[in-house]
Amino acid sequence: MTDTLDAQLLSVPQERKIVTAIPGPKSEELQRRRLAVVPPGVSSALPVYIQKAHGAIIVDVDGNQFIDLGAGIGVTTIGHTDAAVVAAAAEQLGDVTHTLFTITPYEEYVRVAELLAEHTPGDFAKRTVLVNSGAEAVENAVKIARKHTRRAGVAVLEHAYHGRTNLTMAMNFKAAPYATGFGPFAGDVYRAPNSYPYHDGLSGAEAAARTIAYLEKTVGASDLACLVVEPIQGEGGFVVPAEGYLPALHEWCTAEGIVFIADEIQSGMARTGAWFASEHFGLVPDVVLSAKGIAGGLPLAGVTGRAEIMDSAQPGGLGGTFGGNPVAAAAAIAVFEQLETGEGFESAQRIERVLVEGLQKLADRYDIVGEIRGIGAMVAIELVQPGTAATTKAPNAEAVSAVVAYAAQHGVLLLNAGTYGNVLRFLPSLAISDELLHDALAVIEEAFAQLGA
Ligand code: PLZ
């Protein structure tokens, strides 16, 4: 087993290599088969079919090797097929694959809950429920907050993304493509202005006052069960709030008996060089949601919160067939153990330095680079129309699409983001080397040169 695994891992050299057109012939053949059986509602950013992956490289069926700057949208945070994660999951598969925690429990679930209690912000008694996906974590957090407060209202922020289930569709900012035509939607969701320093120019205190005034006026604090906030917005374009914004919101929530839920599904699990991004803002949420990076690619998500809030739900009120699956939980324990060495956090800081330095060179040359922002291995640039950086900051989605397409053709998998599709986001795995980062940045520089901007 170990020999096979080692061989498999060594067969993915950490280098970029393009050997066919993109997509290559085998990918095109798979794409034809896919179109016959998979609906277009499930789209793919890049229709190259992946055969294997390790570290920061993914290899397609035609033998092309891509530098992965997306990590499956921030999932393979400690790297693809991390040896310890693969070994832990494989061992667990052989021991027990499923029992259903609500029928007969097992240690791995409890251990993940202990680790989340230890590593989420706040030194108080916590409880965790494990589920399958980020959206399901959001749904459960809202359920629990409603039960605890005996209120119905859910406050969210502009540019938020929380999932694709019925409730979370109503919580997202963007209708298209996530919600268009899929209603009726859940009610009692209230969307307030966020802090977006690049566009609103407000201090944290000013932005918080605006958010609070809006919610007081449009719903009223006494009807709000919870406020759900991504400490750094993910799909919305890696929007980092102004200093003091989040703690001011939290203070208001505490005073009004509103549960403050931090959706750290994209920003958590060492992505930003801290266990959770909340820490960068001195924020101690009542409930923290984790998913994506928690189990090295296996489906697992957690709702971790103050014991007195989490204990409000009645026995049998929370759960689900696959929630906290033993294999996913074993993988998560291996992820935590790796991160506990501290190396991952240093990597996140190293990645931020290399990316920001490289992107700053672009910003110096091209006036369409409006802003570089982000923390750790969660960095983005917002692109604006030529000549608008000092005025309207008009979104430039065309340039983002062109850069993403050029990068893909040259072996760099890069993702877009932002409500207006005008943000390039970088969320590589923490396993990525400086060499690969520099190589990817060189490709992105070429892409900018091709724009003729
Ligand atoms: N909350 C902050 O980032 C998932 C969406 C990918 P699920 N973001 C990636 C796509 O196109 O579906 C996300 C997130 C934040 C919640 C979610 C939802 O997590 O695991 O996708 O349900």
Side-chain angles (χ1 to χ4, degrees):
M1 171 67 221
T2 321
D3 287 351
T4 326
L5 186 60
D6 285 348
Q8 205 179 331
L9 303 185
L10 287 172
S11 74
V12 183
Q14 295 298 292
E15 64 194 28
R16 177 171 66 97
K17 194 172 86 184
I18 294 299
V19 294
T20 68
I22 303 297
K26 289 183 179 157
S27 277
E28 286 196 320
E29 175 53 24
L30 283 167
Q31 181 70 0
R32 274 191 288 280
R33 283 171 52 193
R34 172 233 183 100
L35 292 176
V37 288
V38 180
V42 193
S43 54
S44 296
L46 182 64
V48 300
Y49 286 72
I50 302 305
Q51 192 166 49
K52 53 188 177 177
H54 184 61
I57 294 287
I58 53 179
V59 187
D60 76 8
V61 287
D62 292 291
N64 298 299
Q65 297 181 184
F66 294 83
I67 301 175
D68 184 5
L69 295 184
I73 313 200
V75 170
T76 52
T77 303
I78 63 167
H80 287 281
T81 58
D82 173 83
V85 171
V86 175
E91 196 182 331
Q92 185 60 43
L93 258 178
D95 284 346
V96 56
T97 312
H98 173 82
T99 66
L100 212 177
F101 194 75
T102 61
I103 297 183
T104 47
Y106 38 90
E107 182 180 352
E108 289 72 22
Y109 190 120
V110 177
R111 184 66 192 133
V112 173
E114 287 170 349
L115 288 161
L116 280 167
E118 186 181 340
H119 294 300
T120 49
D123 192 13
F124 38 76
K126 295 172 195 160
R127 311 269 194 260
T128 289
V129 55
L130 296 177
V131 291
N132 304 297
S133 68
E136 209 187 336
V138 176
E139 293 260 357
N140 276 278
V142 171
K143 264 168 73 168
I144 296 164
R146 284 177 164 163
K147 187 74 200 273
H148 177 70
T149 57
R150 298 172 191 279
R151 303 173 184 172
V154 176
V156 293
L157 297 179
E158 286 177 354
H159 306 292
Y161 180 86
H162 297 294
R164 293 169 187 273
T165 56
N166 187 261
L167 173 63
T168 55
M169 279 192 293
M171 294 168 69
N172 295 338
F173 184 63
K174 242 161 104 161
Y178 307 124
T180 310
F182 295 147
F185 302 108
D188 266 314
V189 175
Y190 304 91
R191 180 170 299 106
N194 67 341
S195 165
Y196 197 151
Y198 179 57
H199 285 282
D200 61 32
L202 299 178
S203 70
E206 289 162 348
R210 181 175 69 167
T211 304
I212 292 166
Y214 184 93
L215 289 171
E216 292 276 15
K217 198 51 81 183
T218 57
V219 42
S222 63
D223 272 350
L224 282 176
C226 55
L227 169 64
V228 187
V229 174
E230 297 158 84
I232 298 176
Q233 291 181 318
E235 304 304 302
F238 289 12
V239 181
V240 183
E243 179 81 33
Y245 176 72
L246 294 171
L249 291 186
H250 184 238
E251 200 178 308
W252 172 70
C253 285
T254 304
E256 298 293 345
I258 301 163
V259 178
F260 189 107
I261 300 171
D263 177 345
E264 291 248 22
I265 287 163
Q266 194 157 156
S267 60
M269 292 304 297
R271 171 64 39 203
T272 65
W275 280 100
F276 290 89
S278 293
E279 294 167 44
H280 298 294
F281 307 103
L283 173 70
V284 181
D286 302 314
V287 174
V288 174
L289 310 181
S290 26
K292 293 199 187 281
I294 194 172
L298 277 92
L300 188 73
V303 182
T304 304
R306 287 181 179 274
E308 64 275 21
I309 295 173
M310 299 296 291
D311 289 350
S312 311
Q314 64 278 18
L318 306 175
T321 303
F322 293 118
N325 168 271
V327 179
I333 295 165
V335 169
F336 274 104
E337 283 170 356
Q338 298 255 57
L339 291 176
E340 279 174 343
T341 68
E343 277 173 41
F345 301 104
E346 283 166 31
S347 267
Q349 286 158 14
R350 165 182 63 82
I351 290 165
E352 178 184 335
R353 278 195 302 274
V354 174
L355 282 177
V356 170
E357 191 189 293
L359 295 172
Q360 187 56 53
K361 284 190 199 137
L362 278 182
D364 294 342
R365 282 238 296 279
Y366 299 99
D367 84 330
I368 62 168
V369 180
E371 187 182 47
I372 305 169
R373 58 178 179 251
I375 305 179
M378 191 173 185
V379 170
I381 51 178
E382 180 164 337
L383 301 192
V384 298
Q385 294 293 339
T388 68
T391 56
T392 58
K393 298 169 177 156
N396 192 343
E398 311 83 273
V400 164
S401 301
V403 171
V404 167
Y406 183 96
Q409 290 301 319
H410 294 82
V412 176
L413 182 60
L414 184 60
L415 305 178
N416 68 3
T419 295
Y420 304 102
N422 66 322
V423 176
L424 280 171
R425 63 174 145 173
F426 300 81
L427 60 171
S429 99
L430 303 178
I432 198 167
S433 66
D434 284 1
E435 289 75 12
L436 283 182
L437 282 173
H438 286 302
D439 188 25
L441 282 164
V443 170
I444 292 161
E445 261 181 64
E446 282 166 28
F448 269 78
Q450 302 280 319
L451 288 174

